[in-house]
């Protein structure tokens, strides 16, 4: 992070009129254009026969009409960018303030989310679209999968039925399968027949992640097959740091336990509070062994790879993990073979926590494990139970309201049956032009990234050649998998064959939990399809790189404004979706992705010399971002935790910008300027459009949670970090290294 400032170098901008002039100019241009079109119609003139006069040289910045993009899209884009930028800020001093300052001043943080940003805005529109698709038959469809998705949505929306169903379905499972929840029962310190392994297996049937996590994943050393991954589970408060000090969040967490238990029992408040204190104390001890995301990244070499038959010898523990894993897979009628490969991560956590649970009083362990199940089901129960979770979430997330019931239900269905929802979505809302144009952008950015790899002077020839081969081999998924829109619905119907629901929402949720667990386990002995779409559906606003298949995916949900529009000037598309594409491609060469070869196998394929050079460059990125302070909460970013995303951001903006430069050379004078923004060059608009996509505003609680748990940097530094390292940004805006937004010693991995 730069601390010294040199003299500012002025931007080469024709004029520095305030934003009000730009907005006035935009309005005048639109009015004049409308009049011109009207006059043309009146006099019967054909546009194809009208030749515009050549622009007259002038010393004023007033644009000529043939240099402006005056399409409806361009007028709309100009409007939202003018609403965003703060021209009183110096781009070379703080480009984030320049690009987002006015937006930050006027943006309102939604009471129900704790954050406002481009992704959140797109999610809000997506929510409305999904609600429309699930609540009506505006897009008729005869597939059983779609019918079941609509039935699930209807059961979630039927709050009267949810209230009538009450808590019986959940408490029946707690009492008959889990052995009861002591906090609800008459005070007693004994738990007859308590068996830790049996209880964990019963919980695993409904919820993965309580204490231990077991999942099927692509075998890292043989990407054509699956293996078993055993590791740590989740914490109620997600991260260790939340437990280290008494705060409003820890108080709200314990109050959540008290309120939920009180809503289900007549036990005395004193007895309930005693149990809650014991539950929290146990989880606090467990949290001290929980690995953060940065620790997982730094200690990856501690992972044990063995077989089911060799697990006990390779991973000695007082807890019988071999039996636990075998019994878990039997939930899906999958019998494990001794030769099945298993990968054990967070080893120290597994050993220590299993010992802690075995030594702790059965009463407390039973209370804690069932609590974790109950806290995850609270949102699916009647309002008096839901409200206990709502009050906690308001403190934990910094919110002051909740989403509408329709949004909650549409999100639940989309999260669990997203490919059925996507079948409806792509028919009504997705323009296939996005797929075609995105392929061209990917092709150009892939070529740009290849050139960056070839120019990496710190790589030896052999490592470089293999890296170039890997870039060429990256597979791309764009928009949606073909079977979603196909008349042949066999694959979709097979995917959701077990998703058969009735009118009881809570019973549907409990069924869903069991189906999801079985699905995950069943794939173990199947072959890996490297061309498969993946688990996340097209109806998400996101993008992905999967190292085990060397594939990038860009769902339909992100292929829209402001990231992409088929009618947008290319500088906006390359600054928007182009940067996202470059980011995902660069993930193949970040600190994690670079360890996988072009076929997705995690094997050594770089020389030691090249690895050493790479590590020196990534350390520069780690140190740079670790010095960024989130002023809102007076807390620094974790450069180790975010290093992969930061490397991808830095590589993504470079590869996209170079790809745009190459496109512009091949297509001169095609990209026109936006009305009201004509004083900015196309290259400047590339960076402005890029930064606009990361404007964000959030509550303190949300910011803290993101810093503690997210592998991405806070959006402000996803703009400032990459641009401060990019010499082309300095050239475009005439910045001098050492100014606020430009590092003297630039970090460069790619």
């Amino acid at each position: 992070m730069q601390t010294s400032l040199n003299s500012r170098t002025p931007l080469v901008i024709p004029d520095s009129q305030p934003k009000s002039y730009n907005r006035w100019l935009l309005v005048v241009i639109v009015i004049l254009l409308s009049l011109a079109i009207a006059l043309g119609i009146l006099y019967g003139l054909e546009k194809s026969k009208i030749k515009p006069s050549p622009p007259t040289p002038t010393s004023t910045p007033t644009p000529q009409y043939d240099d402006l993009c005056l399409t409806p899209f361009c007028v709309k884009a100009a409007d939202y960018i003018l609403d965003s930028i703060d021209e009183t800020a110096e781009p070379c001093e703080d480009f984030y303030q320049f690009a987002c300052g006015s937006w930050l001043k006027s943006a309102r943080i939604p009471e129900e989310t704790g954050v406002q940003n481009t992704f959140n805005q797109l999610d809000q529109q997506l929510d409305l679209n999904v609600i429309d698709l699930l609540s009506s038959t505006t897009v008729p469809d005869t597939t059983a999968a779609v019918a079941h998705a609509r039935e699930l949505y209807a059961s979630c929306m039927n709050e009267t039925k949810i209230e009538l169903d009450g808590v019986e379905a959940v408490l029946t499972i707690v009492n008959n399968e889990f052995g009861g929840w002591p906090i609800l029962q008459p005070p007693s310190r004994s738990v007859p027949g308590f068996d830790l392994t049996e209880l964990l297996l019963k919980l695993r049937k409904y919820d993965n992640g309580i204490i231990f996590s077991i999942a099927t994943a692509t075998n890292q050393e043989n990407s054509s097959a699956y293996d078993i991954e055993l590791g740590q589970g989740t914490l109620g408060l997600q991260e260790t740091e939340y437990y280290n000090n008494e705060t409003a969040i820890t108080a709200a967490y314990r109050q959540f336990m008290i309120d939920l238990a009180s809503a289900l029992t007549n036990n005395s408040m004193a007895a309930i509070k005693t149990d809650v204190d014991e539950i929290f104390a146990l989880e606090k001890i467990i949290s001290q062994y929980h690995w953060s995301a940065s620790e997982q990244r730094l200690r990856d070499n501690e992972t044990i790879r063995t077989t089911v038959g060799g697990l006990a010898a390779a991973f000695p523990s007082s807890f019988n993990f071999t039996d636990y894993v075998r019994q878990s897979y039997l939930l899906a009628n999958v019998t494990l073979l001794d030769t099945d490969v298993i990968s054990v991560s967070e080893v120290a956590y597994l050993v220590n926590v299993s010992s802690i649970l075995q030594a702790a009083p059965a009463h407390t362990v039973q209370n804690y494990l069932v609590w974790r199940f109950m806290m995850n089901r609270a949102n699916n129960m009647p309002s008096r139970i839901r409200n206990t979770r709502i009050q906690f979430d308001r403190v934990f997330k910094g919110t002051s309201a909740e989403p509408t019931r329709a949004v909650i239900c549409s999100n639940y269905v989309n999260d669990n049956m997203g490919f059925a929802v996507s079948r409806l979505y792509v028919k009504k809302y997705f323009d296939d032009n996005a797929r075609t144009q995105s392929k061209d952008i990917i092709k150009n950015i892939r070529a740009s990234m290849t050139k960056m790899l070839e120019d990496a002077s710190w790589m030896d020839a052999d490592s470089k050649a293999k890296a170039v081969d890997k870039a060429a081999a990256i597979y791309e998924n764009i928009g949606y998998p073909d079977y979603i829109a196909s008349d042949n619905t066999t694959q979709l119907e097979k995917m959701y064959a077990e998703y058969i629901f009735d009118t009881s929402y809570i019973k549907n949720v409990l069924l869903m939990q069991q189906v999801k667990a079985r699905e995950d386990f069943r794939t173990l002995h199947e072959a890996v399809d490297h061309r498969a779409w993946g688990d996340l559906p097209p109806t998400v606003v996101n993008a992905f790189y999967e190292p085990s298949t060397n594939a990038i995916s860009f769902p339909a949900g992100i292929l829209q404004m402001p990231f992409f529009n088929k009618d947008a000037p290319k500088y906006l598309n390359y600054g928007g979706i182009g940067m996202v594409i470059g980011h995902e491609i660069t993930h193949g060469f970040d600190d994690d992705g670079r360890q996988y070869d072009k076929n997705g196998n995690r094997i050594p394929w770089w020389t030691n010399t090249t690895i050493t050079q790479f590590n020196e460059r990534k350390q520069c990125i780690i140190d740079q971002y670790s010095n960024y302070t989130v002023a809102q909460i007076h807390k620094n970013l974790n450069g180790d935790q975010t290093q992969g995303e930061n490397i991808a951001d830095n590589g993504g903006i470079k590869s996209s910008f170079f790809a745009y430069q190459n496109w512009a050379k091949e297509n001169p004078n095609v990209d026109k300027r936006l009305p009201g923004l004509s004083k900015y060059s196309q290259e400047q608009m590339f960076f402005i459009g890029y930064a606009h996509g990361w404007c964000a505003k959030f509550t303190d609680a949300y910011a803290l949670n993101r810093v503690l748990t997210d592998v991405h940097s806070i959006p402000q530094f996803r703009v400032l970090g990459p641009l401060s390292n990019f010499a082309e940004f300095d050239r475009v805006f005439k910045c001098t290294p050492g100014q606020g937004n430009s590092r003297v010693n630039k970090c460069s991995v790619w």
Side-chain angles (χ1 to χ4, degrees):
M1 186 176 183
Q2 303 309 106
T3 55
S4 61
L5 299 176
N6 293 339
S7 299
R8 290 186 295 175
T9 303
L11 288 172
V12 181
I13 299 176
D15 100 10
S16 58
Q17 293 295 323
K19 182 174 156 183
S20 58
Y21 168 82
N22 289 330
R23 179 58 52 84
W24 174 84
L25 177 62
L26 174 60
V27 173
V28 170
I29 288 171
V30 174
I31 293 173
L32 290 175
L33 178 65
S34 301
L35 288 173
I37 293 172
L39 289 172
I41 294 172
L42 283 172
Y43 290 102
L45 297 176
E46 294 177 79
K47 291 180 75 176
S48 61
K49 294 180 181 179
I50 300 176
K51 295 184 178 180
S53 302
T56 304
T58 175
S59 59
T60 69
T62 304
Q64 300 300 312
Y65 290 131
D66 61 355
D67 188 43
L68 289 177
C69 177
L70 297 171
T71 65
F73 170 82
C74 285
V75 172
K76 185 175 183 178
D79 191 56
Y80 73 66
I81 291 175
L82 286 168
D83 271 339
S84 179
I85 61 176
D86 173 9
E87 292 186 308
T88 66
E90 169 61 67
C92 293
E93 292 294 340
D94 187 344
F95 193 73
Y96 186 73
Q97 178 63 29
F98 169 77
C100 298
S102 295
W103 184 95
L104 291 169
K105 187 178 295 185
S106 61
R108 182 189 68 84
I109 300 174
E111 295 179 343
E112 64 273 14
T113 63
V115 60
Q116 182 65 291
N117 57 26
T118 298
F119 288 90
N120 193 39
Q121 291 170 333
L122 291 179
D123 278 333
Q124 290 168 359
Q125 183 57 54
L126 181 65
D127 288 341
L128 295 176
N129 294 341
V130 173
I131 290 168
D132 171 58
L133 295 168
L134 291 174
S135 61
S136 69
T137 55
T138 53
V139 180
D141 193 278
T142 58
T143 60
V146 168
H148 294 329
R150 285 173 165 157
E151 288 164 1
L152 180 61
Y153 177 79
S155 73
C156 180
M157 289 295 293
N158 191 344
E159 293 191 82
T160 300
K161 182 69 164 63
I162 292 172
E163 296 298 323
L164 288 173
D165 284 343
V167 298
E168 181 181 352
V170 173
L171 291 185
T172 297
I173 290 172
V174 168
N175 293 323
N176 295 348
E177 296 190 40
F178 301 161
W181 192 16
I183 200 171
L184 304 184
Q185 298 163 354
S188 171
R189 310 311 290 175
S190 65
V191 183
F194 175 77
D195 185 311
L196 177 62
T197 301
E198 183 179 349
L199 177 55
L200 288 172
L201 286 169
K202 294 288 188 181
L203 288 165
R204 182 59 185 81
K205 179 180 175 182
Y206 295 97
D207 205 335
N208 185 28
I210 298 177
I211 301 298
F212 306 131
S213 172
I214 304 177
T216 302
T218 304
N219 187 324
Q220 293 190 358
E221 294 181 355
N222 176 16
S223 63
S224 64
Y226 290 108
D227 68 6
I228 302 163
E229 292 194 350
L230 170 65
Q232 69 182 15
T234 60
L235 295 171
L237 292 178
Q238 299 183 3
E239 288 294 331
T240 301
E241 187 165 336
Y242 281 118
Y243 296 86
N244 291 340
N245 298 291
E246 178 64 14
T247 65
I249 288 175
T250 56
Y253 186 52
R254 288 197 301 274
Q255 190 64 47
F256 178 18
M257 299 183 206
I258 292 170
D259 291 344
L260 194 151
S262 298
L264 297 172
T265 183
N266 293 321
N267 282 350
S268 71
M269 187 60 66
I272 291 173
K273 287 184 176 179
T274 297
D275 278 11
V276 166
D277 287 342
E278 292 173 349
I279 290 170
F280 183 78
L282 176 62
E283 187 169 42
K284 183 175 181 178
I285 294 171
I286 292 171
S287 75
Q288 302 310 301
Y289 296 96
H290 197 267
W291 293 24
S292 67
S294 60
E295 288 171 330
Q296 290 173 316
R297 189 178 288 271
L298 292 170
R299 301 170 66 180
D300 182 71
N301 61 354
E302 296 181 28
T303 297
I304 296 173
R305 293 186 59 77
T306 184
T307 62
V308 171
L311 180 60
F315 174 46
S317 169
S318 58
F319 183 81
N320 191 338
F321 280 102
T322 302
D323 180 63
Y324 177 64
V325 172
R326 287 186 185 276
Q327 294 296 322
S328 293
Y329 272 82
L330 283 176
L331 293 173
N333 295 319
V334 175
T335 300
L336 295 184
L337 309 174
D338 283 347
T339 54
D340 285 330
V341 176
I342 184 167
S343 176
V344 185
S345 57
E346 297 90 48
V347 174
Y349 169 93
L350 298 180
V351 171
N352 286 298
V353 171
S354 59
S355 296
I356 289 168
L357 292 176
Q358 288 171 312
H363 177 274
T364 304
V365 176
Q366 178 89 11
N367 250 338
Y368 172 62
L369 295 180
V370 177
W371 154 247
R372 292 295 311 283
F373 170 82
M374 292 297 290
M375 74 171 287
N376 291 337
R377 297 282 66 82
N379 280 333
N380 312 128
M381 297 169 72
S383 58
R384 65 191 177 94
I385 308 298
R386 288 203 306 269
N387 286 337
T388 66
R389 176 82 199 213
I390 287 170
Q391 296 308 311
F392 165 68
D393 283 343
R394 287 192 174 194
V395 179
F396 189 61
K397 298 177 181 178
T399 57
S400 56
E402 290 67 56
T404 65
R405 187 66 190 172
V407 167
I408 291 170
C409 294
S410 66
N411 284 339
Y412 180 77
V413 178
N414 194 32
D415 288 343
N416 289 283
M417 299 188 71
F419 291 92
V421 175
S422 296
R423 179 173 174 83
L424 302 173
Y425 181 83
V426 298
K427 286 182 179 180
K428 183 170 183 178
Y429 294 108
F430 187 66
D431 185 346
D432 265 352
N433 283 317
R435 290 180 109 189
T436 304
Q437 289 194 30
S438 294
K439 287 180 181 179
D440 289 337
I441 296 175
I442 291 172
K443 176 184 175 182
N444 295 338
I445 293 176
R446 189 197 303 263
S448 177
M449 185 67 195
T450 299
K451 181 68 165 56
M452 289 164 60
L453 292 168
E454 291 171 342
D455 290 345
S457 59
W458 51 271
M459 298 185 79
D460 62 81
D462 183 54
S463 300
K464 184 182 296 184
K466 291 177 180 177
V468 169
D469 284 347
K470 180 176 181 178
I474 293 175
Y475 183 74
E476 58 202 49
N477 293 304
I478 306 172
Y480 56 89
D482 289 337
Y483 72 83
I484 287 295
S486 173
D487 291 335
N488 185 343
T489 62
T490 302
Q491 186 170 349
L492 186 68
E493 298 287 42
K494 181 181 179 182
M495 180 184 299
Y496 295 117
E498 293 185 74
Y499 291 60
I500 301 174
F501 305 113
D502 63 20
T503 59
S504 173
Y505 178 58
I506 187 59
K507 290 181 180 178
N508 292 341
V509 169
L510 294 169
L511 170 66
M512 181 74 76
Q513 294 299 113
Q514 297 176 72
V515 169
K516 290 295 182 182
R518 294 195 295 265
E519 283 178 349
D520 180 55
F521 290 149
R522 281 175 186 159
T523 60
L524 179 63
H525 294 141
E526 298 176 2
V528 176
D529 181 1
H530 280 225
R531 299 297 178 257
W533 178 270
D535 295 332
L536 290 166
T539 42
V540 294
V541 183
N542 216 322
F544 314 96
Y545 172 75
E546 175 52 58
S548 63
T549 57
N550 196 27
I552 50 178
S553 299
F554 305 99
I558 200 171
L559 295 176
Q560 55 183 312
M561 287 179 62
F563 292 104
F564 172 85
N565 188 278
K566 64 184 179 63
D567 298 322
K570 290 297 188 289
Y571 50 75
L572 291 183
N573 280 345
Y574 275 87
I577 197 64
M579 185 275 174
V580 174
I581 291 168
H583 172 101
E584 300 306 332
I585 290 175
T586 306
H587 267 314
F589 308 94
D590 67 13
D591 65 302
D592 182 57
R594 67 101 187 150
Q595 299 181 62
Y596 296 79
D597 69 9
K598 69 177 182 179
N599 297 314
N601 296 311
R602 189 168 186 159
I603 57 175
W605 60 284
W606 282 8
T607 64
N608 289 334
T609 301
T610 291
I611 292 172
T612 299
Q613 291 290 326
F614 174 87
N615 287 338
E616 289 179 3
R617 282 160 174 76
K618 82 168 186 181
Q619 190 61 47
C620 183
I621 294 283
I622 291 171
D623 294 341
Q624 174 188 353
Y625 283 82
S626 293
N627 282 321
Y628 284 138
T629 301
V630 183
Q632 182 175 342
I633 56 173
H634 310 291
K635 192 170 185 66
N636 279 26
L637 300 183
N638 186 326
D640 283 308
Q641 179 172 297
T642 58
Q643 61 180 289
E645 297 298 332
N646 297 333
I647 291 170
D649 282 345
N650 278 263
I653 194 64
K654 290 180 180 179
S655 59
S656 184
F657 181 78
F658 292 142
Y660 174 68
Q661 279 188 320
N662 293 333
W663 178 89
K665 289 176 184 177
E666 296 173 1
N667 300 272
N669 304 317
V670 172
D671 253 0
K672 295 184 178 182
R673 303 187 188 217
L674 297 181
L677 293 160
S678 61
K679 62 183 177 180
Y680 299 108
S681 71
Q682 285 86 344
E683 289 185 339
Q684 288 175 329
M685 287 302 302
F686 168 95
F687 290 111
I688 292 172
Y690 153 65
H692 173 77
W694 298 101
C695 299
K697 194 172 183 179
F698 28 69
T699 62
D700 292 354
Y702 183 94
L704 177 61
N705 185 262
R706 292 302 85 198
V707 171
L708 291 180
T709 66
D710 202 343
V711 294
H712 302 84
S713 294
I714 290 290
Q716 174 186 3
F717 300 112
R718 299 192 72 173
V719 173
L720 298 179
L723 297 187
S724 70
N725 290 323
F726 196 16
E728 285 295 293
F729 173 80
D730 291 348
R731 176 187 64 79
V732 168
F733 281 95
K734 304 300 181 186
C735 302
T736 300
Q739 287 183 266
N741 206 78
S742 177
R743 291 170 61 88
V744 175
N745 300 315
K746 298 185 184 300
C747 298
S748 178
V749 177
W750 304 110

